[in-house]
Amino acid sequence: MPISEDLSEVVGRTVSGNGVWHAELLPAINDDHGGVIVEMEEHMDTETFLTMLRTSMLQWKQQGKKGVWIKLPIGLAHLVETAVKTPSTIPANATHRVGVGAIILNDKREVLVVQEKSGILQGTGLWKIPTGVVEEGEDISVAAIREVKEETGIETEFVEVLGFRQSHKTFFEKSDMFFICMLHPLSFDIQKQELEIEAAQWMPFEEYAAQPFAQKHELFRRINELCLAKVDRSYAGFSLQLVSNFSDQPSFLYLNSKDLGKSRSGINP
């Protein structure tokens, strides 16, 4: 919750008739982000909690604290309504989830594919490219390499982002960004992950693309088209370029280096 309580209202509730400040504060410890954490343990009635909360928020505001996190055990559930009545200005949780899919072809024009043990594709017999979710603090290129290694044991190096899809109201009602990456294999002996992967293999691309589901589902068709365009028609995706952001921390800019190079050489207007 924010520290934005009106000071006059707080003072009016916490100063006695003789003007002596006497209200107690809620038990709190500092967190790592300029706020405080309140862990309630002792029984307390609603009115006492409200008084102590208002008094505490006044002091925390004067101290420049940025937010308050209140932890209530089930035995103090009656305090939840009081705690949440104060409008919160703390940003909501993440609005997007970022996923990656990895296209890996070997010299025989075979694509690395898997069958999953869980999820909506479980038991369908569908062969698909390795996919996964980008972890906090992880680059897209690193996530694609990691997911392939975890699911199949295959070592790879990042080549390009071929394209990406944005959708909304998906996983936990969040928006979803899905990046389709092309990777180059550095090893070829598959060692599938037993927990999540039912099967993994190198499959001729034409056989993979001819699967009825892959023909029917537009996203799968588009991914196959991107793959063919990259292999057969010199399609230029987005390669990575190391740059520094405003905080001087390194980051990656994904760009079309092929056409950028043409423009620099004067081939393109």
Side-chain angles (χ1 to χ4, degrees):
M1 72 176 53
I3 301 181
S4 58
E5 197 69 43
D6 182 78
L7 299 186
S8 62
E9 183 178 358
V10 175
V11 172
R13 286 177 175 267
T14 57
V15 177
S16 64
N18 59 10
V20 178
W21 188 279
H22 68 280
E24 297 181 6
L25 301 178
L26 293 173
I29 60 174
N30 294 328
D31 65 14
D32 296 329
H33 308 285
V36 295
I37 301 173
V38 176
E39 295 198 38
M40 300 292 297
E41 296 180 355
E42 297 183 5
H43 178 77
M44 186 178 298
D45 62 75
T46 303
E47 186 63 28
T48 301
F49 174 69
L50 178 60
T51 301
M52 293 180 67
L53 176 61
R54 291 172 183 268
T55 306
S56 300
M57 289 180 67
L58 172 61
Q59 176 162 314
W60 293 328
K61 182 175 182 178
Q62 292 173 337
Q63 294 173 347
K65 300 300 182 183
K66 298 179 180 179
V68 182
W69 303 97
I70 299 178
K71 298 182 179 181
L72 296 172
I74 190 65
L76 295 177
H78 62 285
L79 301 181
V80 171
E81 182 178 0
T82 302
V84 301
K85 276 186 175 179
T86 303
S88 177
T89 57
I90 293 178
N93 62 343
T95 59
H96 286 68
R97 184 182 72 158
V98 179
V100 291
I103 300 176
I104 308 103
L105 275 82
N106 61 21
D107 294 337
K108 299 177 182 179
R109 202 179 173 90
E110 296 173 328
V111 61
L112 182 63
V113 293
V114 299
Q115 290 182 341
E116 296 182 342
K117 282 187 176 181
S118 60
I120 60 175
L121 299 178
Q122 178 186 9
T124 63
L126 176 71
W127 293 99
K128 56 180 284 294
I129 61 174
T131 58
V133 177
V134 179
E135 297 179 351
E136 183 178 357
E138 185 178 43
D139 294 310
I140 294 168
S141 56
V142 175
I145 293 171
R146 174 184 55 77
E147 286 291 345
V148 172
K149 174 66 175 179
E150 290 179 354
E151 294 188 1
T152 69
I154 298 296
E155 300 280 357
T156 60
E157 61 181 0
F158 178 80
V159 179
E160 290 177 340
V161 170
L162 298 183
F164 66 91
R165 179 211 63 192
Q166 181 182 29
S167 60
H168 305 286
K169 298 294 182 181
T170 55
F171 191 74
F172 288 117
E173 295 296 302
K174 303 301 180 183
S175 296
D176 185 86
M177 301 287 288
F178 180 68
F179 290 83
I180 304 160
C181 303
M182 173 69 78
L183 306 182
H184 177 73
L186 300 177
S187 65
F188 302 93
D189 294 331
I190 295 174
Q191 297 178 352
K192 74 178 182 69
Q193 182 191 64
E194 295 297 333
L195 181 62
E196 298 179 2
I197 303 301
E198 183 68 35
Q201 67 169 312
W202 292 100
M203 175 180 287
F205 179 81
E206 289 70 20
E207 181 181 344
Y208 160 75
Q211 295 179 98
F213 186 91
Q215 290 288 324
K216 180 180 179 181
H217 196 286
E218 185 173 7
L219 177 61
F220 279 75
R221 292 205 314 270
R222 293 298 185 185
I223 291 176
N224 295 342
E225 290 174 3
L226 282 172
C227 182
L228 288 177
K230 178 62 182 176
V231 173
D232 296 336
R233 300 193 298 275
S234 299
Y235 172 85
F238 299 94
S239 56
L240 56 84
Q241 176 68 54
L242 182 65
V243 297
S244 296
N245 57 27
F246 294 109
S247 62
D248 293 327
Q249 295 296 319
S251 61
F252 289 108
L253 173 67
Y254 292 83
L255 48 82
N256 181 337
S257 58
K258 179 180 177 181
D259 289 341
L260 180 64
K262 289 181 179 179
S263 178
R264 286 177 175 173
S265 63
I267 297 177
N268 288 342

